[in-house]
Amino acid sequence: SIVHIRCNPEPFVTNDPRTRQQQVETRYMKLPWELQFKILRLLGSEDSVQYLLVCKHWYCMCLPIVYRHPELSSRIFNKFVDTIISNRKKRFGEYVLELDLSTILQSGKNSYVSKLLRRCSTRLEKFTAPQTSFGYAPLISLKSCHQLKYLDLGLVSETVKLKELFIAIQNFKHLTHLSFPRSSINCDGFREFQWPQNLQYLKLSGGINNEFLRETQWPRSITTLEFSFCPQVDEVAVYTVLSQIGDNLRHLYFHYPMPSLHENSLDHVFRYSSKLISVQLMVDYTSKWAFSEHLLTELIYPRPLKTIYLDCSGSLGLGSKIHPDDFTIAIMESRLPCLKTISVSSKLGWDMKSDEVTDLVSVIEDQGGSMYMTY
């Protein structure tokens, strides 16, 4: 049998005011506060701002959404600092989970960044430092951010002593991403430093030296490694690192400049890192032999490499170091069976209409891949 249910039946007419009020209230469905909070979270921080004045409950529910990931600029940065620092009773900083100061171009005081880190330390999970105003005081305040998972100091242009950085982050149990400052100096203290046990992404840059790379016990949890502007690092130090964790790496990137490397210093990368999924090589430090049968050997399993980024500084004479045929032969000989993407810098000077490039495009398309030119 079919049962018909009337969702909003007409209330029984009565003269009792209490009964009438109860009947009016039961006619409308009331959503639990937890469900309302989930709906507000789906709307995002921009839309949640307009609901702050609906009622007291909505105000309390919208605050964590609005301050979860504030989108800051130089125009509103001072107002944000005043709100977080000056108003201690409301503690807005406890709602901040992601603090991105990379867009702050003005040169402020170190004390502002330091105070922001202290106010937001309770739940802060992701922090990107500004280009300036990150000195000794912010590093001290950084110690209290024990929930931090992502720390990017790559834009910092002020001098940072790595020993102080090591002391600040050595107790970060949840840290998975770390980018070194590009203007770091003084690697003292690295022997006593205990790396975060869950570290997965590491970007090395700045004043790190060969001694630091050779004598450090690198955590096996690292799956992504980047080298960016390391003027003191030579190829022996690079391969010392890869000999420890090369088999664990899934992504490996080299950026220009690294003046201590030679024209063929990166040729042996694939022999140390056989499980790479993506790699970025600089033609300045790589030759065609990197993709030869001697250095890019066949494995007992299909090599999982899917993406190759071939970058170049644009210096004269680099265009002939690596030829399209070097990739074509490697693919046809099944040394790159999983390769799907080749991204080549326009500075390399390849003629995209030449027969050699056409052959490479045809071969990689046969295995479901494609080739791109970056500018």
Side-chain angles (χ1 to χ4, degrees), residues 50 57 72 78-79 119 128 140 151 173 176 178 186 206 226 240 249 267 271 303 309 344 346 358 361 368:
Q50 59 184 328
H57 289 287
L72 301 176
N78 290 332
K79 293 182 179 179
R119 298 288 189 273
T128 303
I140 297 299
L151 177 60
K173 298 179 180 180
T176 59
L178 174 62
N186 191 354
E226 289 194 41
T240 301
L249 294 179
D267 285 0
R271 303 202 60 177
R303 186 180 294 272
Y309 301 98
V344 181
S346 60
T358 302
V361 171

Side-chain angles (χ1 to χ4, degrees), residues 217-285:
Q217 294 298 318
W218 300 97
R220 298 285 182 174
S221 58
I222 297 177
T223 57
T224 302
L225 180 62
E226 289 194 41
F227 291 88
S228 175
F229 186 65
C230 302
Q232 303 181 51
V233 173
D234 60 18
E235 61 181 279
V236 176
V238 170
Y239 289 122
T240 301
V241 177
L242 295 182
S243 65
Q244 291 188 35
I245 61 174
D247 287 337
N248 298 328
L249 294 179
R250 299 297 180 268
H251 309 279
L252 178 61
Y253 305 101
F254 294 91
H255 302 275
Y256 184 86
M258 294 185 67
S260 295
L261 297 183
H262 303 297
E263 60 180 8
N264 59 348
S265 293
L266 301 181
D267 285 0
H268 298 267
V269 164
F270 297 116
R271 303 202 60 177
Y272 287 85
S273 307
S274 59
K275 298 180 181 178
L276 290 176
I277 296 176
S278 65
V279 63
Q280 175 171 307
L281 298 174
M282 297 298 304
V283 180
D284 303 64
Y285 317 120

Side-chain angles (χ1 to χ4, degrees), residues 284-317:
D284 303 64
Y285 317 120
T286 311
S287 70
K288 64 180 181 179
W289 300 110
F291 305 98
S292 66
E293 58 183 353
H294 303 289
L295 300 181
L296 186 67
T297 57
E298 290 190 39
L299 305 174
I300 58 176
Y301 53 87
R303 186 180 294 272
L305 187 62
K306 294 182 178 181
T307 305
I308 296 178
Y309 301 98
L310 206 58
D311 206 350
C312 177
S313 66
S315 301
L316 295 176

Side-chain angles (χ1 to χ4, degrees), residues 68-183:
R68 176 186 177 89
H69 181 197
E71 297 182 3
L72 301 176
S73 63
S74 299
R75 182 175 55 86
I76 63 174
F77 179 66
N78 290 332
K79 293 182 179 179
F80 176 76
V81 171
D82 292 338
T83 303
I84 299 296
I85 295 178
S86 302
N87 201 332
R88 296 187 178 183
K89 293 183 179 180
K90 294 187 177 181
R91 298 181 179 179
F92 293 120
E94 295 182 359
Y95 301 124
V96 179
L97 297 183
E98 300 180 13
L99 186 60
D100 186 356
L101 303 182
S102 60
T103 58
I104 309 302
L105 302 178
Q106 62 191 27
S107 179
K109 297 180 179 180
N110 276 322
S111 60
Y112 286 169
V113 179
S114 178
K115 290 179 180 178
L116 277 179
L117 286 174
R118 285 204 302 270
R119 298 288 189 273
C120 303
S121 61
T122 305
R123 301 178 60 201
L124 189 64
E125 297 180 356
K126 183 176 180 180
F127 175 66
T128 303
Q131 297 183 23
T132 58
S133 305
F134 196 86
Y136 179 74
L139 279 175
I140 297 299
S141 299
L142 194 63
K143 294 180 182 179
S144 58
C145 302
H146 296 291
Q147 302 300 320
L148 209 60
K149 298 179 180 179
Y150 180 101
L151 177 60
D152 186 356
L153 305 177
L155 297 177
V156 176
S157 59
E158 295 184 358
T159 301
V160 177
K161 293 184 179 179
L162 289 180
K163 183 177 181 179
E164 298 171 355
L165 176 62
F166 295 152
I167 295 175
I169 67 174
Q170 63 180 356
N171 294 322
F172 286 3
K173 298 179 180 180
H174 306 287
L175 192 67
T176 59
H177 288 63
L178 174 62
S179 295
F180 274 51
R182 60 184 178 183
S183 55

